[in-house]
Amino acid sequence: MGLYLVRQPSKAMSWAVRYRHAGRPRKLTLGAYPAITLEAARDLGSKALRAAAGGRDPAQEKQSAKVEEKRRAAEEVWAQRDLFENVAREFIERYAKPRAANKGRPDAWVETGRILGLKPDPANPGKLTESGGDVIPRWRGRKIQEIAKRDVIALLDEIQDRGAPIMANRALAAVRKLFNWAASRDIVSASPCAGVTPPAAEKSRDRVLTDDELRLVWLAAEAEPWPYGPIVKLMILTGQREAEVAGMFEAEIKTDKRAWSMEGGRTKNGEAHEVPLSASALALLAAQPRIGRKRFLFSSDGESPVKSFSRAKDRIDEAVQKLNGDKPIPKWVFHDLRRTVASGMAGLGIQLPVIEKVLNHKSGTFRGIVGVYQRHSFAEEKRSALDAWAKHVLSIVSGKRASNVIGIREAK
């Protein structure tokens, strides 16, 4: 019993002390030599032996201290993970980014991140950095489990009081998504957003371009170079969303069937969608390059579709204004083209169920039990509708009823 020096086969040496506790021999390792000198080892050994003489077990106490230290370290890690700003970061990385990519809209998460207070790091776009926002600056340093319904309401009131009621609605939507995700992962037991209503009433957009406005946009898009000009023209011809059109790749184009086929991961509602292609649309698609391994039609790097449309929209607006005698048309957004297609088809006498199938809508005619049992594809009806719409668009552009316009001939 007592202090001794242990020499391992590796030639490493350490101090230890042997003692008896509850009638059994025990060993306590004091530390490595020469980091611990003989004098220090004697002092530590003496303390251990005195503790053993008093009925304590120094080796067990050392082991318990290590376990407690690990427990506290783990608690600190979890406490840091549960801070709102860290959960928000994890929500963007694990949920918002992958979901946006799966939907073919890789930048769709950016607005949610901006509202929360996160954006891509300029020095490393693959990482997130805190930047402004309405939510993280208010709740930074708080455990997400401590945020209650009254905190959510106070946040919305603060945003609304500064004169931004619609932004308050957007903040609620972002926070609700985050808390629902956190609840699904058992980070919180329930969302504090449950029962919270949007603070401001919003009027749904109802902007539909007139025939003359549509003509101006088409001509402006014709002057806009690849990739955005062709994208806008295809949006007009097909009625599909900008991200869906921008994400087109060669395997989706079924030339033999005269159709564009998207899998569920590429559509907003998650369901596969086939879009019949008019002769005009097929001619436009045939003229586009195929880029990268996936052979995207509209990609700058061959790895992902083009994403930012804002500058292209500005250029098209400028071109529209020039074409219109230097007079701007009322404010419109790209999504209004989709509404314009729907309205225009209705004006051509196309039935609502067919229009909804063209747009891949699940609401209205196909909501609820009807959607469960209605399995008719409407393939021929969709084709007739889109062919009629394309002819209508070309007649608007030309200013006359004709089948041969700008070098594209419609199928009879």
Side-chain angles (χ1 to χ4, degrees), residues 139-203:
W139 291 343
R140 182 187 288 105
R142 294 185 61 181
K143 292 182 68 175
I144 192 170
Q145 296 87 350
E146 298 172 352
I147 296 171
K149 187 173 183 177
R150 65 190 301 175
D151 295 308
V152 175
I153 293 171
L155 169 70
L156 301 180
D157 287 346
E158 181 180 291
I159 298 172
Q160 192 172 27
D161 289 346
R162 72 169 190 244
I166 302 304
M167 178 51 67
N169 288 0
R170 302 292 179 270
L172 174 59
V175 170
R176 177 177 280 129
K177 287 178 186 176
L178 188 157
F179 275 104
N180 286 344
W181 173 84
S184 74
R185 295 177 66 86
D186 202 30
I187 298 171
V188 298
S189 58
S191 170
C193 299
V196 179
T197 57
E202 292 193 44
K203 182 181 179 181

Side-chain angles (χ1 to χ4, degrees), residues 225-394:
W226 180 93
Y228 298 105
I231 289 174
V232 172
K233 290 164 75 174
L234 284 167
M235 288 166 60
I236 293 172
L237 289 171
T238 66
Q240 306 308 302
R241 297 176 177 87
E242 62 191 68
E244 293 168 349
V245 175
M248 295 173 82
F249 53 95
E250 188 175 57
E252 290 183 338
I253 310 304
K254 314 297 183 183
T255 306
D256 56 335
K257 295 173 60 178
R258 293 176 54 222
W260 166 25
S261 183
M262 287 182 281
E263 294 182 352
R266 282 264 287 122
T267 63
K268 185 176 180 180
N269 65 12
E271 293 199 355
H273 182 41
E274 185 166 282
V275 183
L277 295 170
S278 64
S280 298
L282 281 169
L284 273 172
L285 293 174
Q288 306 312 310
R290 270 55 171 171
I291 302 170
R293 175 182 54 82
K294 202 170 181 180
R295 295 180 66 78
F296 284 107
L297 276 67
F298 307 109
S299 173
S300 57
D301 59 8
E303 298 296 325
S304 59
V306 292
K307 301 171 184 177
S308 177
F309 287 75
S310 58
R311 291 183 181 177
K313 175 62 165 54
D314 291 342
R315 290 192 299 268
I316 288 174
D317 281 338
E318 290 175 4
V320 165
Q321 184 169 331
K322 289 180 181 178
L323 289 166
N324 197 37
D326 209 28
K327 297 177 183 177
I329 65 174
K331 184 177 179 181
W332 65 285
V333 297
F334 281 140
H335 194 74
D336 293 333
L337 296 176
R338 187 168 160 84
R339 189 179 301 104
T340 300
V341 173
S343 179
M345 284 184 174
L348 295 176
I350 296 165
Q351 296 299 305
L352 178 60
V354 179
I355 296 172
E356 290 189 334
K357 282 294 185 179
V358 167
L359 299 181
N360 199 21
H361 276 174
K362 289 189 68 176
S363 57
T365 306
F366 300 99
R367 179 180 294 168
I369 194 169
V370 175
V372 174
Y373 291 102
Q374 173 57 266
R375 288 293 182 253
H376 179 50
S377 68
F378 286 81
E380 290 306 315
E381 293 91 337
K382 290 194 297 182
R383 180 170 301 284
S384 295
L386 284 167
D387 280 346
W389 171 248
K391 289 178 181 178
H392 179 68
V393 169
L394 296 181

Side-chain angles (χ1 to χ4, degrees), residues 119-136:
K119 71 172 186 178
D121 187 338
N124 186 351
K127 292 186 177 181
L128 296 171
T129 185
E130 290 187 22
S131 176
D134 284 302
V135 190
I136 287 177

